[in-house]
Amino acid sequence: MTKPEELKRRQADLMSMMGNGIAILATANHQNRNGDVMFPFRPDSDFYYLTRFPEPEAVAVFSPGRKEGEYILFCRQKDPVKELWEGRHAGLEEATGRYGADQAFPIEDFHTHLPELLCNQEKVYTMMGRYPEFDNGILGNIAEVRSRRRAGTRAPWELVDLRHILHEMRLIKKREELKVMRAAARLSAAGHVRAMQRTRPGMYEYQVQSEMEYVFRQGGSADTAYPSIVAGGLNACTLHYTRNNCKLADGDLLLIDAGAELDCYAADITRTFPVNGRFSDAQRAVYQVVLDAQHAALETVMPENPVTAYHDAAVKVLTQGMVDLGLLSGGVDELIETGAYGKFYMHRTGHWLGMDVHDVGDYKVDGDWRILEPGMVLTVEPGLYIRPDDTVDEKWHNIGIRIEDDVLVTRSGHEILTGDVPKDPSEIESLMKH
Ligand code: GLY
Ligand code: MN
Ligand code: MN
């Protein structure tokens, strides 16, 4: 749980970078699922990062230097009749008390208050295009202020994307955030361990999924960070397989890519293991290549290295492995240069991780690949995916393997957050025996 001081610091950091302007952020909308049923509400990550306010129908405004208060929160009022159906609303009192806003107003009054807040501001920072209708409302209010210029007020003349500032902040995780991310990683690892222990031939993918997600939910995770991928055999070669409805065959591998979300922070782990608890020689050979690639990639995760270094390191080992296994022929450098390795390895080796599983933050800065810095969290997830194909020896068919860990860049190198779930083949086999 983010401490109030930490939240204040975050807000102050943001405002110190804004100059003469105001920032306006809405949280996510409730989404309809079907009929009268809604999806469970999940706050907008940017809004939640700056407010920790967990309810729908809320807008935060940050106005540096405003004497009545810099942080204004618009939210639902207390309403006993609505609350009877929907549960408690924080209301205006808690918005300023528990949630630390300087002022709070009913959400219905947002457009009544906004023109005054926009007066004489140069810039308006928004999450441009995220909620287009909301943006339109703000533009309407700006027009309203402009129409009053004869009274001497000036309307803002610059619209700026708040992401520009905010996502740089979110990219570097602070101590409080790392606490939550470590907890999400540990819980997710425990779920993967249980999945390994419970898997047997003849089970359905969704049954293994439920064994794993049981641990997530027991540990207080409201939802997974993204739909779990539980993919037996050939299904593992579909990168975003989420049907999870097939029977697991003796002799196949099972690839599980899943992570729990805790307090809006994601974990993202992949492990691949044999359904019957024993790797075949062919499976073990491919597995070892992916594991070696992951080790090589991890070795490059440290400050001062560009974010591309770990992908390049993984691709090198994977491509050499593809040649050694006879999946590809030719020189490694050429196979990399021409992209031929992409036949069996078609994704990047990782991404930023944080409140969003594919977290925010630019990968390039001023045209150059970003240099890693302490506090960045990323995934390292090489894989090999071999679909049935005439050009490939049958013994490799249907082997889809990915190994994914979550890694924090530290001052001296890195820390693996998801090390609690085994990935060494012998360790996996011994865990599955019990
Ligand atoms: N689970 C999505 C990913 O690994 O990027
Ligand atoms: Mn990932
Ligand atoms: Mn993943």
Side-chain angles (χ1 to χ4, degrees), residues 234-352:
L234 178 61
N235 294 338
C237 297
T238 301
L239 296 179
H240 288 166
Y241 175 82
T242 51
R243 285 194 194 152
N244 304 350
N245 60 359
C246 291
K247 206 172 191 172
L248 297 170
D250 199 342
D252 273 354
L253 289 173
L254 175 60
L255 180 154
I256 301 184
D257 182 344
E261 184 176 81
L262 268 188
D263 200 21
C264 287
Y265 281 86
D268 181 9
I269 303 180
T270 308
R271 288 294 184 267
T272 311
F273 54 93
V275 167
N276 63 14
R278 299 274 317 162
F279 285 93
S280 71
D281 290 345
Q283 289 166 349
R284 188 182 277 263
V286 181
Y287 189 92
Q288 196 60 47
V289 170
V290 179
L291 189 58
D292 291 346
Q294 209 219 20
H295 283 307
L298 284 167
E299 270 177 32
T300 73
V301 177
M302 61 177 80
E304 306 302 331
N305 269 349
V307 63
T308 45
Y310 77 97
H311 176 66
D312 295 343
V315 165
K316 215 168 182 174
V317 175
L318 290 172
T319 308
Q320 180 67 58
M322 292 179 223
V323 172
D324 295 344
L325 296 174
L327 292 167
L328 293 179
S329 53
V332 169
D333 290 345
E334 196 192 329
L335 292 167
I336 293 174
E337 216 162 286
T338 58
Y341 70 89
K343 181 169 177 192
F344 303 107
Y345 184 49
M346 56 299 277
H347 59 79
R348 300 284 302 177
T349 305
H351 48 82
W352 307 130

Side-chain angles (χ1 to χ4, degrees), residues 226-227 229 240 257-258 268 270 351 357-358 379 381 402 404:
Y226 54 92
I229 296 168
H240 288 166
D257 182 344
D268 181 9
T270 308
H351 48 82
V357 63
H358 291 176
T379 66
E381 49 179 304
R402 178 163 65 254
E404 174 174 32

Side-chain angles (χ1 to χ4, degrees), residues 145-164:
V145 176
R146 198 177 304 116
S147 72
R148 291 191 214 148
R149 67 190 183 284
R150 271 169 296 173
T153 46
R154 217 171 45 170
W157 62 86
E158 251 186 82
L159 280 178
V160 189
D161 197 329
L162 184 62
R163 293 172 180 89
H164 192 61

Side-chain angles (χ1 to χ4, degrees), residues 80-94:
V81 178
K82 268 194 174 172
E83 289 181 56
L84 180 67
W85 293 89
E86 298 171 8
R88 287 188 76 251
H89 295 179
L92 306 183
E93 239 169 73
E94 277 192 26

